[in-house]
Amino acid sequence: MARQSETEKSLCNCTALRKATRRVSQLYDSALEPCGLRTTQRSILMQIARSGRPPPLGELAEALVMDRGALTHTLKPLQRDRLIEIRIDPEDRRNRLVALTAAGRKKIAESTALWKRAQAGFETAFGVAKSAALREALEFVVSEDFVAAFNRRSDAKHA
């Protein structure tokens, strides 16, 4: 693949992040292909597992920084393949809970070695310390502190 000249590169942070995310997703998707999961699907399964209980749909969307509608769309193949169940919340029948099934837990276990290989490939290419620093920086980008700082700066320019 040809390298871009300086004049062809976008100065937009959003564009750079989206391009990087697409590239990394392509690499991880390729690594996960033998187990039949895409990286977005594995991320969802892992977030449900980390919750320690079936999270409400809205809470899961918030944890994944996803729009609720987009999450619902992404859950359909996981539900079809019986990796998750969407249940009515017995405490509030308006809410839906997303639960891992035994097949979902098995799929996580099946995908773990493949994910570890992808993770090792990333850290080999990018560097272990730089990878850790990148994750830390990206955690800040998805934080409410970042959103508040972004909006303050944006508001100040339009005042």
Side-chain angles (χ1 to χ4, degrees):
M1 188 165 138
R3 293 184 64 87
Q4 288 183 320
S5 71
E6 288 301 314
T7 56
E8 295 175 50
K9 291 182 182 176
S10 173
L11 297 178
C12 177
N13 296 315
C14 185
T15 298
L17 280 166
R18 290 177 66 89
K19 286 170 66 174
T21 299
R22 283 191 296 270
R23 172 66 70 201
V24 172
S25 291
Q26 290 167 353
L27 294 169
Y28 275 65
D29 283 347
S30 179
L32 291 172
E33 195 171 5
C35 76
L37 283 180
R38 297 184 58 89
T39 190
T40 51
Q41 294 171 321
R42 187 176 193 282
S43 295
I44 291 168
L45 295 176
M46 290 301 299
Q47 185 61 46
I48 296 166
R50 278 192 298 273
S51 295
R53 56 162 176 64
L57 193 59
E59 182 182 300
L60 181 60
E62 187 176 319
L64 292 165
V65 191
M66 288 181 80
D67 173 80
R68 189 177 167 133
L71 176 60
T72 299
H73 176 76
T74 307
L75 291 175
K76 288 185 189 305
L78 297 173
Q79 189 175 21
R80 178 199 64 219
D81 296 341
R82 294 187 167 93
L83 302 178
I84 62 161
E85 291 177 346
I86 299 178
R87 305 173 181 161
I88 294 172
D89 184 344
E91 313 250 330
D92 183 348
R93 297 188 56 77
R94 295 170 297 175
N95 287 332
R96 298 294 176 262
L97 303 176
V98 186
L100 271 180
T101 63
R105 286 187 288 282
K106 184 177 177 185
K107 188 58 81 171
I108 288 173
E110 178 187 341
S111 68
T112 296
L114 300 169
W115 174 84
K116 284 181 179 179
R117 201 169 315 141
Q119 190 77 351
F122 185 99
E123 291 187 350
T124 297
F126 198 69
V128 174
K130 282 173 51 178
S131 294
L134 177 62
R135 285 189 304 275
E136 187 175 326
L138 294 173
E139 283 177 26
F140 174 65
V141 170
V142 300
S143 74
E144 292 303 317
D145 289 342
F146 177 81
V147 173
F150 181 95
N151 288 332
R152 270 195 309 275
R153 176 69 181 138
S154 188
D155 291 344
K157 284 187 118 178
H158 291 90

